[in-house]
Amino acid sequence: MVSSMEHPCLRCGACCAHFRVAFHWSEADASLGGCVPPELTEKLDPHRLAMRGTDTAQPRCVALQGTVGVAAHCGIYARRPSVCREVQPSWESGTISLQCDKARLAHGLPVLTPRDWFQPFDADTPPLPQIA
Ligand code: SF4
Ligand code: SF4
C-alpha cells in the first residue's frame, strides 16, 4: 500500500484556494449543532457565512495549511463546512468533478484522471478539502 500522502488532495488544495466557501450561519453556531469555528468565518449576508479568505478575487481559505499543488490539508478537517464535504475529487468515485477540475486548472495543475487512483492509499487518513 502506498503512503497516505499520495492521496491526490494532499498534494493539491486547489479547491480551497479558488472558490468562495459560503454556508448557512447555523453551521458555525454550536448551540444549534454547528461545528465550524466561528472565528474563521465572516458574515456574507443575513443568511450566510463565508470562510475567511474566500470572499475575495484571489481566494484562499484561512484554514488551508500548506502550499497548493505541493502539500496541503484542511486545518479544520473534522469541523469543515458542509459545502467542503460535498466536493469530490475527480475520479475518486468514477466520474469527473467539475469543481475539482476547474480549481486544479486555475492553479496550473492537470486535472485528475483514473490513473491518479490506480494505487490504493491509506483510508485511515482523511483527504483534504472540499468546497462549493
Ligand atoms: S478535490 Fe480536487 S481540487 Fe480539491 S484538493 Fe482534491 S484534487 Fe485538489
Ligand atoms: S476544506 Fe478546509 S481549508 Fe478547504 S475550504 Fe473547507 S474549511 Fe477551508
Side-chain angles (χ1 to χ4, degrees):
M1 182 174 290
V2 296
S3 163
S4 61
M5 289 304 292
E6 295 184 65
H7 187 291
C9 288
L10 293 172
R11 298 192 305 269
C12 183
C15 54
C16 303
H18 184 66
F19 299 106
R20 184 177 68 186
V21 182
F23 48 93
H24 193 262
W25 59 265
S26 61
E27 292 193 43
D29 189 326
S31 69
L32 295 176
C35 65
V36 180
E39 67 274 16
L40 301 185
T41 71
E42 60 188 8
K43 186 174 181 178
L44 192 58
D45 60 35
H47 303 291
R48 296 180 299 167
L49 302 174
M51 289 303 296
R52 280 176 35 211
T54 68
D55 187 27
T56 68
Q58 294 184 307
R60 182 185 164 106
C61 179
V62 67
L64 181 63
Q65 306 289 310
T67 302
V68 172
V70 179
H73 68 277
C74 175
I76 57 165
Y77 187 79
R79 301 177 66 185
R80 67 200 191 286
S82 58
V83 289
C84 301
R85 301 170 189 271
E86 292 165 4
V87 175
Q88 296 294 313
S90 280
W91 296 107
E92 184 178 40
S93 301
T95 60
I96 65 165
S97 161
L98 293 178
Q99 288 175 309
C100 177
D101 288 359
K102 183 177 180 182
R104 287 183 61 90
L105 289 171
H107 281 271
L109 300 169
V111 296
L112 297 181
T113 70
R115 190 171 300 175
D116 290 292
W117 303 97
F118 191 73
Q119 290 184 294
F121 55 89
D122 183 355
D124 292 335
T125 300
L128 210 170
Q130 342 293 327
I131 323 317

